[in-house]
Amino acid sequence: MKPIKRIGIIGNGAVGMLMASLFEPDYTVTLYGRVDNGSNVTIEHTGATNGTVQVRLEPVTTLIETEQDVFFVTTKAHQVEAATRRLSGDVPVFICSNGIAHLDYARTRGFHLGVVEHGVSRDGNQLHHTGLGRIRIGSLDAVEAMSFIASPLDIVWETDIEQVVTEKLFANAIINPITALCRVENGAVALPPCRDIAEAVYAELSTLFDRHVPYTYVETIIEKTGHNRSSMLRDIEAGRQTEVDAILTPLLKRADERGIALEVIPVLQKLILGASVSC
């Protein structure tokens, strides 16, 4: 595999901007987003990492695949298909969105997967890096492992990326809706009464997947991100579309396909949809 020198990041939200700012010292980075014209953008990040960098921000409609050596897609799950319309897969593409709704799409398009474990919030071009983690990447096919220069992003190649995505889904499906509906930080999910709901969701999730995800994994994520406000909570507070159709809705479909009756997850899904409408 040829050396990686140029990195395209699709999605200029908090995660995309954090990745761009931490890749920039070692690579030529282009950030693609919903903007009218290309320009240099100054990104300041504080918290777990500190610094100020300039990166190139271009409209996603101007993206030319061959101008990059690898792409990371950091958009919301419902934006993935539109964001990757100009990509063929000839250049490696890692979809780093939440949920599992994009798995079949990734397989069909020959794309790869990534899971971002860093905590980050955004206010304009200012980022607060709330927690260090890893970016775990891998392929659904037999693809040669890719490596990147060591950085705070801590990019790790996973041989079983689908297990990693499943683990992240468990954490998202438990933490996001509970924090969004109760308007609490992630750490509250470890305590009653939120913990009681979390354990009920975990029990239902465990019936839907053949892969085992220990509850201790979810507890670890809650502890590491205790002071974070989940993306679903921030979306509802800001009146934005949530990722309920990427995180919870596919679970209802999976349950229907397997003939499994769920009680808690369908209620959470309806409540999140209702909360989104009322924003």
Side-chain angles (χ1 to χ4, degrees):
M1 185 170 292
K2 68 178 183 179
I4 298 170
K5 297 181 180 179
R6 305 165 301 172
I7 295 178
I9 298 175
I10 303 176
N12 58 327
V15 171
M17 293 181 76
L18 179 70
M19 291 179 67
S21 65
L22 295 179
F23 268 136
E24 178 60 33
D26 301 306
Y27 299 94
T28 299
V29 177
T30 305
L31 188 60
Y32 297 95
R34 290 182 293 177
V35 293
D36 294 329
N37 299 295
S39 63
N40 289 327
V41 58
T42 300
I43 302 172
E44 179 184 0
H45 52 100
T46 59
T49 58
N50 291 274
T52 302
V53 299
Q54 275 198 343
V55 299
R56 187 67 183 169
L57 175 62
E58 295 283 350
V60 70
T61 53
T62 66
L63 182 154
I64 299 175
E65 184 175 31
T66 54
E67 290 183 351
Q68 308 298 336
D69 299 318
V70 63
F71 288 93
F72 289 92
V73 181
T74 66
T75 65
K76 297 289 188 182
H78 60 270
Q79 299 167 330
V80 166
E81 292 194 26
T84 57
R85 190 172 292 130
R86 301 173 68 89
L87 302 176
S88 69
D90 290 342
V91 174
V93 177
F94 292 91
I95 300 176
C96 301
S97 302
N98 286 328
I100 57 172
H102 60 281
L103 287 186
D104 288 340
Y105 177 72
R107 284 193 180 93
T108 302
R109 296 294 309 276
F111 296 160
H112 315 295
L113 302 176
V115 168
V116 178
E117 296 180 338
H118 292 264
V120 59
S121 61
R122 173 193 174 198
D123 182 9
N125 294 337
Q126 293 184 320
L127 307 177
H128 183 49
H129 195 177
T130 56
L132 285 170
R134 297 170 292 178
I135 295 181
R136 304 166 73 181
I137 62 173
S139 176
L140 296 168
D141 300 314
V143 173
E144 181 183 353
M146 298 178 64
S147 61
F148 295 81
I149 297 169
S151 79
L153 290 174
D154 192 13
I155 300 180
V156 178
W157 183 269
E158 298 282 354
T159 56
D160 188 358
I161 190 63
E162 193 163 358
Q163 174 67 23
V164 176
V165 170
T166 303
E167 291 171 353
K168 182 70 180 298
L169 172 67
F170 269 59
N172 283 335
I174 291 170
I175 296 171
N176 273 269
I178 293 173
T179 55
L181 292 170
C182 296
R183 305 297 175 100
V184 294
E185 294 181 343
N186 291 2
V189 181
L191 305 172
C194 293
R195 181 183 174 89
D196 300 330
I197 304 171
E199 290 177 343
V201 176
Y202 173 78
E204 292 190 348
L205 287 169
S206 297
T207 67
L208 298 179
F209 293 87
D210 299 326
R211 295 170 177 269
H212 175 63
V213 176
Y215 192 77
T216 52
Y217 170 82
V218 179
E219 290 178 314
T220 299
I221 299 299
I222 294 171
E223 181 180 356
K224 284 184 176 180
T225 64
H227 294 295
N228 289 5
R229 298 175 70 79
S230 72
S231 59
M232 192 171 285
L233 170 58
R234 285 184 275 115
D235 284 341
I236 285 181
E237 289 178 331
R240 296 188 297 259
Q241 182 177 347
T242 72
E243 291 185 291
V244 64
D245 285 335
I247 297 173
L248 295 183
T249 304
L251 300 175
L252 305 185
K253 179 181 178 182
R254 179 178 283 255
D256 184 60
E257 292 171 347
R258 295 191 169 203
I260 297 172
L262 302 177
E263 296 181 0
V264 181
I265 294 175
V267 173
L268 292 180
Q269 187 244 14
K270 287 182 173 63
L271 288 173
I272 291 294
L273 288 173
S276 302
V277 169
S278 65
C279 290

Short mmCIF file of all heavy atoms in Angstrom, two decimals, residues 2-8 23-30 67-70 146-149:
data_model
loop_
_atom_site.label_atom_id
_atom_site.label_comp_id
_atom_site.label_asym_id
_atom_site.label_seq_id
_atom_site.Cartn_x
_atom_site.Cartn_y
_atom_site.Cartn_z
N LYS A 2 0.52 2.23 -0.83
CA LYS A 2 1.36 3.42 -0.96
C LYS A 2 1.33 4.25 0.31
O LYS A 2 0.35 4.22 1.07
CB LYS A 2 0.91 4.25 -2.15
CG LYS A 2 -0.44 4.90 -2.01
CD LYS A 2 -0.76 5.74 -3.24
CE LYS A 2 -2.09 6.47 -3.10
NZ LYS A 2 -2.40 7.31 -4.28
N PRO A 3 2.38 5.02 0.58
CA PRO A 3 2.43 5.85 1.78
C PRO A 3 1.28 6.86 1.82
O PRO A 3 0.85 7.35 0.78
CB PRO A 3 3.78 6.56 1.67
CG PRO A 3 4.59 5.73 0.74
CD PRO A 3 3.61 5.12 -0.22
N ILE A 4 0.81 7.16 3.02
CA ILE A 4 -0.27 8.13 3.18
C ILE A 4 0.34 9.50 3.43
O ILE A 4 1.10 9.70 4.39
CB ILE A 4 -1.18 7.73 4.36
CG1 ILE A 4 -1.83 6.37 4.07
CG2 ILE A 4 -2.25 8.80 4.60
CD1 ILE A 4 -2.54 5.78 5.27
N LYS A 5 0.03 10.44 2.56
CA LYS A 5 0.51 11.81 2.71
C LYS A 5 -0.63 12.82 2.77
O LYS A 5 -0.51 13.86 3.39
CB LYS A 5 1.44 12.16 1.54
CG LYS A 5 2.71 11.31 1.48
CD LYS A 5 3.58 11.74 0.31
CE LYS A 5 4.86 10.90 0.24
NZ LYS A 5 5.70 11.30 -0.93
N ARG A 6 -1.76 12.48 2.10
CA ARG A 6 -2.89 13.41 2.00
C ARG A 6 -4.13 12.75 2.60
O ARG A 6 -4.47 11.63 2.24
CB ARG A 6 -3.13 13.77 0.54
CG ARG A 6 -1.90 14.32 -0.18
CD ARG A 6 -2.11 14.31 -1.69
NE ARG A 6 -2.37 12.97 -2.20
CZ ARG A 6 -2.73 12.68 -3.45
NH1 ARG A 6 -2.90 13.67 -4.33
NH2 ARG A 6 -2.95 11.44 -3.83
N ILE A 7 -4.79 13.45 3.50
CA ILE A 7 -5.96 12.91 4.18
C ILE A 7 -7.15 13.84 3.96
O ILE A 7 -7.07 15.05 4.19
CB ILE A 7 -5.70 12.75 5.69
CG1 ILE A 7 -4.61 11.70 5.92
CG2 ILE A 7 -6.97 12.35 6.43
CD1 ILE A 7 -4.24 11.50 7.39
N GLY A 8 -8.25 13.26 3.50
CA GLY A 8 -9.50 13.99 3.35
C GLY A 8 -10.45 13.61 4.48
O GLY A 8 -10.67 12.42 4.73
N PHE A 23 -4.28 15.67 12.80
CA PHE A 23 -3.57 15.09 11.65
C PHE A 23 -2.64 16.12 10.99
O PHE A 23 -1.59 15.76 10.46
CB PHE A 23 -4.57 14.62 10.59
CG PHE A 23 -4.99 13.19 10.71
CD1 PHE A 23 -6.33 12.84 10.56
CD2 PHE A 23 -4.07 12.18 10.91
CE1 PHE A 23 -6.74 11.51 10.65
CE2 PHE A 23 -4.46 10.84 11.00
CZ PHE A 23 -5.80 10.51 10.87
N GLU A 24 -3.04 17.39 11.00
CA GLU A 24 -2.40 18.42 10.20
C GLU A 24 -0.88 18.53 10.39
O GLU A 24 -0.17 18.74 9.41
CB GLU A 24 -3.06 19.78 10.49
CG GLU A 24 -2.44 20.95 9.75
CD GLU A 24 -2.51 20.81 8.25
OE1 GLU A 24 -3.48 20.22 7.74
OE2 GLU A 24 -1.59 21.29 7.58
N PRO A 25 -0.32 18.37 11.56
CA PRO A 25 1.13 18.52 11.65
C PRO A 25 1.92 17.50 10.82
O PRO A 25 3.05 17.77 10.40
CB PRO A 25 1.41 18.32 13.15
CG PRO A 25 0.12 18.65 13.82
CD PRO A 25 -0.95 18.19 12.88
N ASP A 26 1.32 16.33 10.58
CA ASP A 26 2.04 15.26 9.91
C ASP A 26 1.56 14.96 8.49
O ASP A 26 2.25 14.26 7.75
CB ASP A 26 1.93 13.97 10.74
CG ASP A 26 2.49 14.13 12.14
OD1 ASP A 26 3.66 14.55 12.25
OD2 ASP A 26 1.76 13.86 13.10
N TYR A 27 0.40 15.47 8.12
CA TYR A 27 -0.17 15.18 6.81
C TYR A 27 -0.73 16.47 6.20
O TYR A 27 -0.97 17.45 6.90
CB TYR A 27 -1.32 14.16 6.94
CG TYR A 27 -0.91 12.83 7.51
CD1 TYR A 27 -1.03 12.58 8.88
CD2 TYR A 27 -0.43 11.82 6.69
CE1 TYR A 27 -0.67 11.35 9.41
CE2 TYR A 27 -0.06 10.59 7.22
CZ TYR A 27 -0.19 10.36 8.57
OH TYR A 27 0.19 9.15 9.09
N THR A 28 -0.97 16.41 4.89
CA THR A 28 -1.70 17.48 4.22
C THR A 28 -3.18 17.14 4.33
O THR A 28 -3.64 16.13 3.79
CB THR A 28 -1.29 17.60 2.75
OG1 THR A 28 0.10 17.90 2.67
CG2 THR A 28 -2.09 18.70 2.06
N VAL A 29 -3.92 17.97 5.05
CA VAL A 29 -5.31 17.65 5.39
C VAL A 29 -6.27 18.59 4.66
O VAL A 29 -6.04 19.81 4.61
CB VAL A 29 -5.54 17.76 6.91
CG1 VAL A 29 -7.01 17.50 7.25
CG2 VAL A 29 -4.65 16.78 7.65
N THR A 30 -7.33 18.02 4.11
CA THR A 30 -8.43 18.81 3.56
C THR A 30 -9.69 18.40 4.29
O THR A 30 -10.03 17.22 4.37
CB THR A 30 -8.61 18.60 2.06
OG1 THR A 30 -7.38 18.87 1.38
CG2 THR A 30 -9.69 19.51 1.51
N GLU A 67 -7.40 13.18 -5.28
CA GLU A 67 -6.56 14.17 -4.64
C GLU A 67 -6.18 13.79 -3.21
O GLU A 67 -5.42 14.49 -2.56
CB GLU A 67 -7.25 15.54 -4.64
CG GLU A 67 -7.36 16.16 -6.04
CD GLU A 67 -7.98 17.54 -6.01
OE1 GLU A 67 -8.49 17.95 -4.93
OE2 GLU A 67 -7.96 18.22 -7.06
N GLN A 68 -6.73 12.67 -2.71
CA GLN A 68 -6.43 12.22 -1.35
C GLN A 68 -5.95 10.77 -1.37
O GLN A 68 -6.23 10.02 -2.30
CB GLN A 68 -7.67 12.35 -0.46
CG GLN A 68 -8.32 13.72 -0.47
CD GLN A 68 -7.43 14.82 0.04
OE1 GLN A 68 -6.49 14.59 0.80
NE2 GLN A 68 -7.69 16.06 -0.40
N ASP A 69 -5.25 10.39 -0.31
CA ASP A 69 -4.77 9.01 -0.16
C ASP A 69 -5.69 8.18 0.72
O ASP A 69 -5.65 6.95 0.70
CB ASP A 69 -3.35 9.00 0.44
CG ASP A 69 -2.35 9.72 -0.45
OD1 ASP A 69 -2.41 9.54 -1.68
OD2 ASP A 69 -1.52 10.48 0.09
N VAL A 70 -6.51 8.84 1.53
CA VAL A 70 -7.47 8.15 2.40
C VAL A 70 -8.52 9.17 2.83
O VAL A 70 -8.23 10.37 2.91
CB VAL A 70 -6.77 7.53 3.63
CG1 VAL A 70 -6.13 8.60 4.51
CG2 VAL A 70 -7.73 6.67 4.45
N MET A 146 -3.67 -0.70 7.64
CA MET A 146 -3.11 0.63 7.40
C MET A 146 -2.59 1.20 8.71
O MET A 146 -3.18 0.97 9.76
CB MET A 146 -4.16 1.57 6.79
CG MET A 146 -4.70 1.11 5.46
SD MET A 146 -5.98 2.23 4.82
CE MET A 146 -5.03 3.74 4.59
N SER A 147 -1.50 1.94 8.64
CA SER A 147 -0.94 2.55 9.84
C SER A 147 -0.72 4.04 9.61
O SER A 147 -0.53 4.49 8.48
CB SER A 147 0.38 1.87 10.24
OG SER A 147 1.33 2.01 9.21
N PHE A 148 -0.74 4.79 10.71
CA PHE A 148 -0.58 6.23 10.66
C PHE A 148 0.48 6.67 11.66
O PHE A 148 0.77 5.97 12.63
CB PHE A 148 -1.91 6.93 10.97
CG PHE A 148 -2.98 6.69 9.95
CD1 PHE A 148 -3.72 5.51 9.96
CD2 PHE A 148 -3.23 7.62 8.96
CE1 PHE A 148 -4.70 5.27 9.01
CE2 PHE A 148 -4.22 7.39 8.00
CZ PHE A 148 -4.95 6.22 8.02
N ILE A 149 1.06 7.83 11.42
CA ILE A 149 2.06 8.38 12.33
C ILE A 149 1.44 8.55 13.72
O ILE A 149 0.30 9.00 13.86
CB ILE A 149 2.57 9.73 11.79
CG1 ILE A 149 3.28 9.52 10.44
CG2 ILE A 149 3.52 10.40 12.79
CD1 ILE A 149 3.59 10.82 9.70
#
